[in-house]
Amino acid sequence: MTSDMEPKLLHILTMGCQMNVYDSQQMGRILAPMNYMPTSRADKANLIILNTCCIREKAEHKVYSWLGRLAQVKHRRPDVIIGVGGCVAQQEGYRILKRAPHVDMVFGTFAIGRLAELVRQVTEQKKRVVDVDETGTVEPSYIMPAKYEAGSATAFVTIMSGCDNFCTYCVVPYVRGREVSRKPEGILEEVGCLVANGIREVTLLGQNVNSYGLKNGHGLDFPALLDAVNRIKGLKRLRFTTSHPKDLSDRLIVAFGRLEKLAPHIHLPVQSGSDRILRRMNRGYTKDYYLARIEKLRKARPDIAITSDIIVGFPGEEEVDFEKTIGLVSSVRFDNLFTFKYSDRPSTPACRFFNKVPEEIKRERLARLLELQKEITLDKHRTMVGTTQEVLVEGSSKKRGDQMTGRTPCGKVVNLSNGAACVGQVVSVKIAEALFHSLLGDPIVFRNAVMSSSRQAQCGVKRRNAVCCTKW
Ligand code: 5AD
Ligand code: SF4
């Protein structure tokens, strides 16, 4: 029998959106008092958790292929505990235990707060457990550790869970339940604690942050919450996602021009440029309404970056509907676009709609849309060449370990061509090259601005020519 005090290793595989990333962090914090330390090595872990996503069919297929790989791990090391959490766990429940005999624990999106108890049941009572109860609280059930996971400059903070919008294609309301907002005090305390531990940028998360607080009556709505977070000393940048166009209020738009820490970027999913399809999707706005919101945002904050989501091949989408989407993308000129082929999701109304679009047409429309967006994104990136951008350094580049990487206020990824920079620094960077996914820039080295050796050691940097931060 293992005790809570024995040191053990925890490996979490996170799929899907930023909310899942936040949930995985929450799991780590909940299990830390049971002496589970994080590891990036699944082959060494005592407990492996697969935090799943089912927003699109492709994401769900990935879960089952991961479960196949984990069967081999269990075969080699029968003592390892395997848990499946998140949206697929919520949806599939006992079916996962049946289909995957190597899984010990299935816990849904409402059960994260009960994770420690579930792990105890598996380790101490040698039980296979399932918890897909739809009860639980949106408030995190851990005590924020005094020392936050070191080495990060940015963090997510979930401010609400669930969704009440019932877009006809979307599974979220069925797997994450109705919308519930966290209390503002807990959110402010969490952000304050993150900042005290070195976090410079916080992204507030919710399926529709615009309706934060409206149902629960906590006394603050979303623009007021932004005001309060903006006042937290030491925080450099504030972001949020996602905003539903139908609820994007004038007060929130004005906040972009008013709050100095609020980064000039909004993710505003439009989904389609055809009013007929928007109606069938139950989105609650028209193309013209969306365009008018964009105009207002750009008036309030001329440098604002706007990104969006689009689904191609929604049931009944004709060529003329798709052309309207192309027209909208050409006229808005988004900074970036996340494009998806429609996929049937169980329980959603759209999966029972007639006139499904054939796969090859979806593929062809997706390719046309991507081609157009590629041109627009590259065009926008090219206009940035020669400009100086304030880049918050987030870590080393995934592709090139010798380069540091960070983001501009607009959220564009910039890889730094030379010089060492610390995670958490804001560095002035001259943009030298525009690529589709990122920009390449040279940090501006000030005379005598070589970082002190003690500072380099503090940052874990051992390089000559270190670039000093321009400001914190
Ligand atoms: N099929 C394809 N894309 C979907 N999305 C949500 N549900 C589906 C679906 N059934 C996309 C939407 C949403 C993003 C997170 O995922 O564009 O904004
Ligand atoms: Fe899904 Fe629509 Fe809610 Fe977004 S707003 S989570 S697309 S139901």
Side-chain angles (χ1 to χ4, degrees):
M1 205 197 321
T2 49
S3 89
D4 277 10
M5 294 325 292
E6 263 176 56
K8 290 154 288 199
L9 293 174
L10 165 68
H11 180 77
I12 306 182
L13 271 156
T14 308
M15 298 169 162
C17 64
Q18 294 133 324
M19 269 189 187
N20 269 12
V21 174
Y22 179 81
D23 286 350
S24 292
Q25 280 174 358
Q26 216 183 319
M27 292 174 202
R29 290 170 196 163
I30 287 169
L31 294 173
M34 289 172 75
N35 243 354
Y36 278 100
M37 307 307 288
T39 176
S40 57
R41 304 260 323 247
D43 58 332
K44 296 266 184 239
N46 305 87
L47 169 58
I48 301 175
I49 293 177
L50 193 56
N51 189 10
T52 62
C53 166
C54 64
I55 190 95
R56 288 172 295 276
E57 206 175 4
K58 211 166 139 192
E60 200 171 329
H61 285 161
K62 251 192 187 164
V63 173
Y64 285 104
S65 81
W66 265 109
L67 279 177
R69 271 178 258 177
L70 290 177
Q72 294 161 22
V73 176
K74 186 81 168 186
H75 182 70
R76 281 196 302 274
R77 294 193 297 125
D79 280 351
V80 68
I81 300 169
I82 296 183
V84 181
C87 299
V88 176
Q90 187 66 43
Q91 202 169 43
E92 295 292 298
Y94 285 93
R95 283 195 290 268
I96 295 182
L97 284 196
K98 250 190 170 166
R99 192 166 161 177
H102 56 290
V103 169
D104 301 286
M105 180 174 76
V106 176
F107 60 103
T109 50
F110 299 83
I112 296 174
R114 298 185 286 272
L115 182 58
E117 183 46 37
L118 293 169
V119 171
R120 268 192 210 105
Q121 285 178 22
V122 176
T123 52
E124 292 170 14
Q125 299 166 27
K126 305 284 175 218
K127 272 166 108 179
R128 295 176 82 207
V129 294
V130 175
D131 183 345
V132 285
D133 277 5
E134 294 187 8
T135 54
T137 163
V138 66
E139 305 299 336
S141 50
Y142 56 86
I143 302 185
M144 191 73 189
K147 189 87 196 108
Y148 182 72
E149 296 85 352
S152 309
T154 60
F156 297 124
V157 174
T158 291
I159 62 166
M160 59 207 294
S161 69
C163 185
D164 288 351
N165 287 306
F166 291 94
C167 302
T168 53
Y169 52 81
C170 185
V171 77
V172 167
Y174 307 95
V175 289
R176 293 220 175 235
R178 294 301 82 73
E179 183 185 293
V180 186
S181 297
R182 279 179 68 186
K183 293 196 183 94
E185 305 85 67
I187 297 168
L188 295 174
E189 195 187 322
E190 186 167 341
V191 177
C193 189
L194 290 167
V195 170
N197 282 290
I199 294 293
R200 319 315 279 168
E201 174 186 300
V202 163
T203 304
L204 305 179
L205 301 177
Q207 302 294 349
N208 180 13
V209 290
N210 258 274
S211 50
Y212 170 82
L214 298 183
K215 222 164 97 178
N216 298 84
H218 292 325
L220 291 189
D221 63 2
F222 188 58
L225 179 72
L226 285 179
D227 262 322
V229 178
N230 187 67
R231 283 195 292 272
I232 293 177
K233 282 207 179 72
L235 181 70
K236 278 251 28 117
R237 283 183 189 167
L238 173 57
R239 302 185 187 276
F240 63 82
T241 194
T242 295
S243 238
H244 194 307
K246 79 175 164 54
D247 297 319
L248 176 62
S249 65
D250 284 348
R251 279 181 57 227
L252 182 57
I253 293 178
V254 169
F256 276 106
R258 201 167 51 76
L259 301 178
E260 75 284 3
K261 293 179 188 170
L262 186 57
H265 170 217
I266 188 165
H267 184 64
L268 198 62
V270 63
Q271 312 297 2
S272 171
S274 154
D275 287 344
R276 193 178 70 85
I277 297 297
L278 287 172
R279 246 188 335 269
R280 283 167 66 82
M281 288 176 162
N282 190 31
R283 289 291 289 174
Y285 54 84
T286 60
K287 180 193 78 176
D288 285 346
Y289 182 84
Y290 184 88
L291 291 175
R293 294 280 85 186
I294 298 285
E295 203 181 320
K296 213 158 193 172
L297 276 163
R298 285 182 167 150
K299 242 189 209 138
R301 187 82 195 240
D303 61 339
I304 197 163
I306 301 172
T307 57
S308 196
D309 292 344
I310 286 182
I311 297 176
V312 301
F314 185 78
E317 185 189 72
E318 304 280 349
E319 177 62 23
V320 288
D321 299 303
F322 178 67
E323 276 164 15
K324 286 178 183 162
T325 299
I326 290 277
L328 178 130
V329 171
S330 306
S331 75
V332 174
R333 292 180 62 79
F334 294 107
D335 288 79
N336 208 350
L337 203 53
F338 300 87
T339 51
F340 310 102
K341 285 186 286 181
Y342 167 80
S343 66
D344 273 340
R345 299 288 64 215
S347 324
T348 63
C351 80
R352 295 185 300 275
F353 285 3
F354 297 116
N355 300 334
K356 294 278 159 62
V357 175
E359 189 58 30
E360 66 271 19
I361 295 184
K362 284 196 248 180
R363 210 176 308 129
E364 181 254 343
R365 287 182 188 163
L366 190 76
R368 276 159 70 194
L369 195 54
L370 277 172
E371 195 52 39
L372 170 62
Q373 186 56 43
K374 202 168 172 183
E375 260 174 49
I376 298 170
T377 302
L378 258 173
D379 231 36
K380 290 201 172 213
H381 283 182
R382 283 190 192 118
T383 65
M384 292 174 74
V385 172
T387 64
T388 300
Q389 301 286 327
E390 299 284 278
V391 174
L392 173 65
V393 180
E394 294 181 11
S396 47
S397 154
K398 271 191 205 132
K399 276 202 182 138
R400 285 199 42 185
D402 60 328
Q403 285 181 351
M404 296 299 273
T405 188
R407 278 174 200 272
T408 67
C410 286
K412 315 247 183 211
V413 174
V414 179
N415 295 315
L416 308 186
S417 61
N418 66 58
C422 296
V423 170
Q425 272 181 274
V426 177
V427 183
S428 293
V429 177
K430 184 125 187 225
I431 303 300
E433 202 182 323
L435 304 163
F436 174 51
H437 290 293
S438 62
L439 299 152
L440 189 68
D442 305 317
I444 298 169
V445 185
F446 295 105
R447 212 189 300 271
N448 299 330
V450 176
M451 209 186 296
S452 72
S453 56
S454 61
R455 196 48 214 297
Q456 287 189 35
Q458 194 189 339
C459 301
V461 172
K462 273 205 183 93
R463 280 187 225 175
R464 293 171 68 210
N465 260 344
V467 177
C468 193
C469 44
T470 52
K471 56 179 153 164
W472 280 89

